[in-house]
Each structure stands twice: as C-alpha cells, then as structure tokens.
C-alpha cells in the first residue's frame, strides 16, 4: 500500500460525508433527513474504498477496490433523487419504500462490476499504474454508459428540475429559496465533476467523489445555517398546508408561484404541474372564480354551485412589496357562516311573527271577552237592586248565564 495525496483527499471526503450524515440522522424525524443520511453514508463508503484503490500498488488491487466501491456508487444518485422527492414534498416515505424497482439497475451494475473479468461490460481495459500518481486509467464498457451514466444522469436531471420548481415555488420566501439554491448547487457539483471525468477532461482520477467534499460543505451550511430540517421551516409548511383558507401567490405576470392544498382543491388542481401557469390555463376551475382571482378588486364575495350545493367565498388580495405587481390571494369559505346567519335571521323572523300573533291573539281575546263581560257586570248590578221582581231577576240571571257561556 502506498498512500498518496489522493488517498488523503478521499479520507477527508469520507470523514466530511460522515459528519453530514450524522447531522442528518440527528434530524431523522424531519422530512428528507433519512434520505440525505443514506446519500452520505453511501458517499462515505465509496470514498473509503477509493482510499484503498488509490493506495494500492497493483492494477489488480485497484480494480478490486473499485469493484467493491460499486456497492454504493450506483445508488448515490438514487438516494439523492429520493431526498429531493421528500424534500419537495412530492412523495411520502412509505411510497419510496415500496419503489424497490428503482434498485434493480444499481444491483445489476454492482453484480456486473464484480464479475467484470468475465464480460468486460463495466470496464473493458485498464492502463498501467502511473508511477507519479499511483493511479490507473479505466476504459469503460457499454453497461457503464447505459446502466450507470444514463441511469444516474436521468435521476440527477429529474432531481435538478424538481428543485428548480421548488425554488420558483418559494421565490417569495428568502429562507426557502436559499435552501433550494444550496441544495441544487450541492447536487450539481458531483454531477458536473462526473461529466468532466467521463469526458476525459480530467484524466486518471475520478474527481466525482472528491467534489462531494464541496457538496458536503454546502449541505452542512444548509442544515446549520439555513434552517434545513428544522422545526421552523416544517412548522411553516404544515401551517400553510393545513389552513382552512385558500392561499394563492401570483407573480407580476399573473402566474401561479405558490398554492396550498385548500386552494388546489378549490381550483381542482390534481397535479404538481401548476407552477408558472396562469389561472386561466387551469381549465378545470370555475370561470367565475378565475375572473375574481385575476381581477383588480381587493375584496369580493362570490357564490358558486357545485354538485347542486351552493358555496360562498370571500376573496381578498394583498400586494407583495418585494415584487411589484405580485400579490397573495386568500380565499375564505364563508358558506357555513352565511348559512348560520340565514338560520338566525329565519329564527328571528319566526320569533317576531310569533310575538305579533300572540299580541294579536290577546288583543282579539280582550275584545271578544269585553263585550259579554260588560253585559254580565251590568245585569249583576241590576239584579242587586232590592225592588226587582222575581220574574225580572230570573230573566236577568238567564242573560248573565248566556253571556258567561
């Protein structure tokens, strides 16, 4: 074994990767932390194998350690892809666990690497050991280009695109935007280094793993300085997504920059491909609702019929000072509030009508009772006279009885 400067560079990369992995593991309860942990565990293992590869004195020894490193080399882009999916909230952890099919190509790549001497699909030739650098040059076979490069670069491309969407979505939030750019640069650094290596612009040494050092530093900054995997950002996200209020952010070109779950349901958006669209491009949404969203009215109340049910919404708009012409739109569902007000109004009208009927009834009864009572009281007064004959008294008592009845 002959340790060179490259061996120490790989050692430094391995140690730094372990450090980032430990930081992520300490925050394993937060979305994306577990995936990032596995990314840097894989990088640390690969770097460790490359320490032995760079210090080995023979071609056979170097090839052996390169073969062992392929246990994690093909899955590093995959774990990074999983991390991006989780970080951008596109999938849940249980969905990732069920996607075992993603590992088929990495497993095949590893098996072909350790059996390369029988088919030469991963490496088809090796140079002699360079006396100055103690390194060899690998000539790659067809599977390296199809099974590793094409597969890995596809995952990196998709991950970068998703992060770009994430940055656009959160461009009005400086903290989130900074996170997105850090993670994007951290992910692109090994990718660009890999392109330089396989294109032959950087001969002899694979700088992909070495460039991971830069990536590790950026992720460390993202974790420690920009609140990545902290309660603050998670709480904000959970709050926005669980609010019973629709939130839509439109930029100065009336394009959707952000939208929460309630608003997506209201606009009938079922996919994530809404960033950068104008509201009128959402054909599933109500034309009335779209008109109100893009109008200049600061506040407006509308009513919509959905599935035969009448819904009422109060829509408010507030300008965003950071970007002139942009605004935050809040949509409040006031259907139940209006129904309660209507029910209270009906109950009040019924109470008032009942009071009026009672008063009318009492007035009518008072009138109806007053007439016979006057007769009764009058004849009782006459009956009390002493000089009244028995015949008249009987007649007057009959009249009193009739009026009483």
């Amino acid at each position: 074994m002959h340790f060179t400067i490259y061996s120490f560079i790989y050692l430094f990369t391995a140690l730094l990767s372990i450090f980032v992995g430990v930081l992520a593991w300490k925050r394993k309860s937060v979305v994306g932390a577990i995936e990032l942990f596995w990314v840097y565990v894989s990088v640390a293992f690969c770097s460790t194998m490359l320490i032995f590869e760079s210090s080995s004195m023979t071609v056979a020894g170097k090839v052996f350690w390169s073969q062992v490193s392929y246990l994690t080399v093909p899955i590093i882009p995959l774990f990074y892809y999983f991390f991006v999916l989780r970080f951008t909230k596109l999938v849940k952890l249980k969905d990732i666990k069920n996607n075992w099919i993603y590992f088929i190509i990495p497993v095949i790549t590893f098996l072909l690497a350790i059996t390369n001497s029988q088919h030469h699909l991963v490496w088809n030739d090796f140079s002699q050991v360079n006396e100055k650098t103690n390194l060899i040059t690998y000539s790659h076979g067809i599977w390296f280009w199809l099974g590793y490069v094409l597969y890995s670069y596809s995952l990196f491309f998709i991950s970068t695109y998703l992060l770009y969407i994430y940055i656009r979505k959160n461009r009005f939030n400086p903290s989130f935007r900074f996170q997105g750019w850090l993670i994007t640069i951290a992910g692109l650094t090994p990718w660009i280094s890999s392109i330089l290596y396989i294109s032959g612009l950087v001969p002899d040494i694979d700088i992909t793993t070495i460039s991971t050092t830069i990536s590790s530093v950026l992720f460390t900054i993202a974790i420690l300085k920009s609140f990545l995997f902290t309660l603050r950002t998670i709480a904000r996200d959970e709050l926005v997504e669980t609010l019973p209020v629709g939130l839509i952010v439109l930029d100065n070109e009336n394009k959707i920059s952000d939208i929460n779950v309630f608003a997506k349901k209201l606009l009938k958006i079922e996919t994530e491909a809404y960033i950068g669209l104008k509201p009128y491009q959402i054909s599933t949404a109500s034309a009335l609702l779209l008109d109100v969203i893009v109008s200049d009215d600061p506040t407006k109340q509308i009513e919509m019929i959905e599935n035969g049910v009448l819904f009422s919404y109060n829509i408010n708009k507030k300008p965003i000072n950071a970007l002139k012409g942009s605004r935050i739109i809040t949509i409040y569902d006031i259907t139940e509030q209006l129904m309660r007000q209507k029910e209270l109004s009906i109950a009040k009208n019924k109470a008032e009508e009942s009071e009026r009927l009672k008063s009318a009834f009492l007035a009518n009864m008072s009138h109806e009772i007053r007439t016979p009572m006057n007769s009764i009281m009058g004849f009782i007064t006459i009956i009390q006279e002493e000089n009244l004959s028995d015949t008249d008294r009987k007649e007057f008592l009959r009249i009193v009885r009739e009026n009483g009845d």
Side-chain angles (χ1 to χ4, degrees):
M1 302 291 285
H2 175 61
F3 289 94
T4 65
I5 183 62
Y6 303 109
S7 304
F8 290 105
I9 292 176
Y10 286 132
L11 175 61
F12 179 72
T13 301
L15 294 176
L16 193 56
S17 298
I18 293 173
F19 175 71
V20 178
V22 170
L23 288 180
W25 183 257
K26 288 183 177 180
R27 296 160 174 81
K28 61 183 178 181
S29 60
V30 183
V31 174
I34 293 179
E35 290 75 17
L36 186 63
F37 165 77
W38 284 113
V39 168
Y40 279 95
V41 166
S42 302
V43 171
F45 177 85
C46 178
S47 300
T48 302
M49 295 305 102
L50 291 179
I51 293 172
F52 295 109
E53 190 270 344
S54 62
S55 59
S56 178
M57 301 291 291
T58 65
V59 173
K62 291 181 179 297
V63 171
F64 170 77
W65 291 113
S66 294
Q67 289 174 320
V68 177
S69 70
Y70 264 67
L71 180 63
T72 61
V73 166
I75 61 174
I76 293 174
L78 181 57
F79 282 137
Y80 179 72
Y81 171 68
F82 287 158
F83 162 72
V84 172
L85 290 179
R86 291 280 288 143
F87 177 75
T88 54
K89 307 294 194 305
L90 293 179
V91 299
K92 298 180 179 179
L93 182 58
K94 64 178 182 179
D95 297 326
I96 291 178
K97 291 179 178 178
N98 294 331
N99 286 333
W100 55 267
I101 194 171
Y102 281 105
F103 290 91
I104 292 179
I105 291 182
V107 169
I108 293 175
T109 302
F110 172 67
L111 294 176
L112 291 178
I114 61 177
T115 59
N116 185 75
S117 60
Q118 302 175 25
H119 46 70
H120 303 289
L121 292 175
V122 179
W123 303 288
N124 54 30
D125 195 14
F126 311 96
S127 69
Q128 295 299 314
V129 178
N130 188 309
E131 295 181 358
K132 293 182 179 180
T133 63
N134 195 37
L135 299 175
I136 64 173
T137 301
Y138 294 83
S139 295
H140 300 103
I142 187 65
W143 183 260
F144 174 84
W145 300 105
L146 296 180
Y148 172 66
V149 174
L150 181 61
Y151 180 72
S152 301
Y153 282 23
S154 297
L155 293 176
F156 272 126
F157 178 80
I158 296 172
S159 301
T160 303
Y161 174 75
L162 294 177
L163 285 172
Y164 167 75
I165 296 298
Y166 174 85
I167 293 170
R168 280 188 55 83
K169 179 180 177 180
N170 296 283
R171 66 181 183 272
F172 295 110
N173 187 317
S175 178
F176 274 52
R177 184 171 63 246
F178 182 58
Q179 285 182 10
W181 280 117
L182 276 178
I183 293 170
T184 301
I185 297 173
L188 285 175
T189 302
W191 187 19
I192 294 173
S193 301
S194 177
I195 294 175
L196 294 175
Y197 169 68
I198 64 176
S199 63
L201 296 177
V202 181
D204 297 334
I205 183 171
D206 183 355
I207 63 172
T208 305
T209 306
I210 297 176
S211 65
T212 309
T213 305
I214 301 175
S215 177
S216 302
V217 172
L218 293 176
F219 270 116
T220 302
I221 295 174
I223 292 174
L224 298 180
K225 297 297 182 181
S226 67
F227 306 106
L228 180 63
F229 302 145
T230 61
L231 184 60
R232 171 180 166 182
T233 53
I234 301 304
R236 175 264 174 200
D237 210 28
E238 290 296 324
L239 175 63
V240 170
E241 292 301 329
T242 57
L243 277 176
V245 177
L247 292 176
I248 304 174
V249 179
L250 295 182
D251 62 16
N252 53 359
E253 297 180 356
N254 273 338
K255 294 180 180 179
I256 298 176
S257 295
D258 198 1
I259 186 170
N260 71 344
V261 172
F262 185 93
K264 283 196 288 187
K265 182 179 179 181
L266 189 60
L267 292 177
K268 297 180 175 62
I269 297 177
E270 298 179 353
T271 66
E272 294 297 326
Y274 56 83
I275 300 299
L277 292 180
K278 292 186 177 182
Y280 279 122
Q281 294 177 287
I282 305 173
S283 59
T284 56
S286 164
L288 174 60
L289 181 60
L290 295 177
D291 288 338
V292 175
I293 288 176
V294 300
S295 69
D296 295 328
D297 298 331
T299 303
K300 193 165 185 178
Q301 181 177 318
I302 64 171
E303 292 183 342
M304 297 166 47
I305 297 179
E306 297 180 6
N307 300 323
V309 180
L310 180 66
F311 290 90
S312 300
Y313 300 99
N314 192 26
I315 301 176
N316 299 317
K317 300 170 188 175
K318 182 180 179 181
I320 301 175
N321 296 328
L323 182 61
K324 187 176 181 180
S326 61
R327 55 202 180 279
I328 297 177
I329 301 169
T330 53
I331 305 174
Y332 297 88
D333 185 351
I334 58 174
T335 304
E336 292 187 5
Q337 178 183 345
L338 293 181
M339 288 181 62
R340 285 195 297 268
Q341 291 178 354
K342 186 177 181 180
E343 291 172 355
L344 288 174
S345 178
I346 293 174
K348 178 183 177 183
N349 291 335
K350 287 183 177 180
E352 292 176 347
E353 178 66 12
S354 177
E355 183 66 22
R356 186 188 66 78
L357 291 174
K358 182 181 72 173
S359 298
F361 171 76
L362 292 176
N364 185 58
M365 290 299 297
S366 175
H367 173 74
E368 294 296 329
I369 293 175
R370 187 181 300 114
T371 300
M373 283 300 296
N374 286 336
S375 177
I376 291 172
M377 296 302 295
F379 280 103
I380 288 177
T381 300
I382 296 174
I383 290 173
Q384 289 178 339
E385 294 181 359
E386 295 181 357
N387 57 352
L388 188 67
S389 65
D390 289 340
T391 301
D392 291 337
R393 182 175 282 108
K394 290 179 179 180
E395 177 64 19
F396 293 158
L397 287 173
R398 184 189 63 77
I399 295 172
V400 169
R401 177 60 183 267
E402 286 181 354
N403 282 274
D405 291 338

